[in-house]
Amino acid sequence: MPLVTPLSAEHDPETKELADFFNETLGFCPNSVLTMQRRPAISKAFINLNKAVMVNEGKVTSALKRMIAWVSSNATGCRYCQAHAIRAAERYGAEQEQLDNIWEYRTHSAFNEAERAALDFSLAASQVPNAVDTNIQKRLHEHWTEGEIVEMLGVISLFGYLNRWNDSMGTTLEDDAIESGNQFLGKHGFEVGKHV
């Protein structure tokens, strides 16, 4: 049972209008946003930040951003965000082989060195204490511009917020997100956990 019950999508008209963004990303408005709208300033600021972070201004693709989000969410253990991130990666065109082998990104041939550097950055930046070191910095700069690194850290930081929000709230996971989690993460023990 969630800590706070999500409100109806109709509760705040401004949040509802901004939340149309998630219909493209996920196919539905997330329960996390429906909970945030108990304080509409938070839901609106969050949606606008999400939109800004997910804009592609370099060669960091929408699919890679969602895989970065998945690695970050996996590092923190948030099942809600893991399911959302893998679903969004699929919807934004991640290769099937990458989706099926996301757990093995460090060694699987579906991932190139630039993607591995980005995903290792996500893992290191999501740990407490932070594990970003000179080796990760060097690898990032071999493949990515400083602006692209900012885009990646924007995703990691956004999901740091979401991981804390959804795990603390015990946000109920939506059926479509459960389906994606089971499909792509089930072979590695994905379960809904507290997000029922």
Side-chain angles (χ1 to χ4, degrees):
M1 176 175 211
L3 181 62
V4 174
T5 307
L7 295 172
S8 160
E10 309 299 319
H11 177 75
D12 179 63
E14 288 179 74
T15 297
K16 183 179 189 309
E17 184 177 333
L18 285 169
D20 284 346
F21 166 77
F22 295 108
N23 290 328
E24 176 189 324
T25 304
L26 297 168
F28 55 84
C29 182
N31 283 329
S32 56
V33 172
L34 298 178
T35 302
M36 287 177 206
Q37 70 176 344
R38 286 188 178 278
R39 296 295 181 260
I42 295 174
S43 61
K44 290 181 274 197
F46 167 74
I47 294 168
N48 282 319
L49 177 61
N50 195 318
K51 291 167 91 171
V53 165
M54 293 304 182
V55 167
N56 301 322
E57 295 188 38
K59 57 183 186 184
V60 185
T61 66
S62 294
L64 181 56
K65 283 186 176 184
R66 275 53 183 205
M67 288 188 284
I68 288 168
W70 179 82
V71 168
S72 179
S73 299
N74 188 52
T76 64
C78 181
R79 304 289 187 166
Y80 184 89
C81 292
Q82 288 172 29
H84 278 224
I86 204 73
R87 178 174 180 78
E90 174 191 22
R91 290 176 65 89
Y92 278 101
E95 296 175 21
Q96 187 67 43
E97 197 171 4
Q98 288 183 323
L99 293 168
D100 290 340
N101 296 287
I102 187 77
W103 290 87
E104 291 87 27
Y105 77 84
R106 284 184 166 155
T107 57
H108 199 278
S109 62
F111 297 88
N112 63 40
E113 288 306 313
E115 292 165 333
R116 288 186 182 110
L119 297 173
D120 277 347
F121 177 45
S122 181
L123 179 61
S126 300
Q127 295 176 11
V128 177
N130 188 292
V132 176
D133 60 17
T134 56
N135 179 50
I136 288 173
Q137 291 177 2
K138 179 179 179 275
R139 289 176 56 219
L140 283 171
H141 285 285
E142 287 173 5
H143 301 283
W144 304 101
T145 68
E146 290 187 345
E148 291 162 345
I149 293 168
V150 166
E151 284 186 58
M152 289 181 224
L153 191 53
V155 173
I156 296 161
S157 300
L158 178 71
F159 273 79
Y161 172 84
L162 284 169
N163 294 160
R164 296 291 176 255
W165 182 277
N166 290 305
D167 249 5
S168 298
M169 282 286 181
T171 308
T172 302
L173 198 49
E174 304 83 2
D175 290 341
D176 290 344
I178 293 170
E179 183 181 316
S180 294
N182 287 335
Q183 179 181 355
F184 298 111
L185 309 173
K187 69 180 179 181
H188 293 284
F190 174 80
E191 56 187 48
V192 174
K194 67 169 112 177
H195 301 285
V196 293

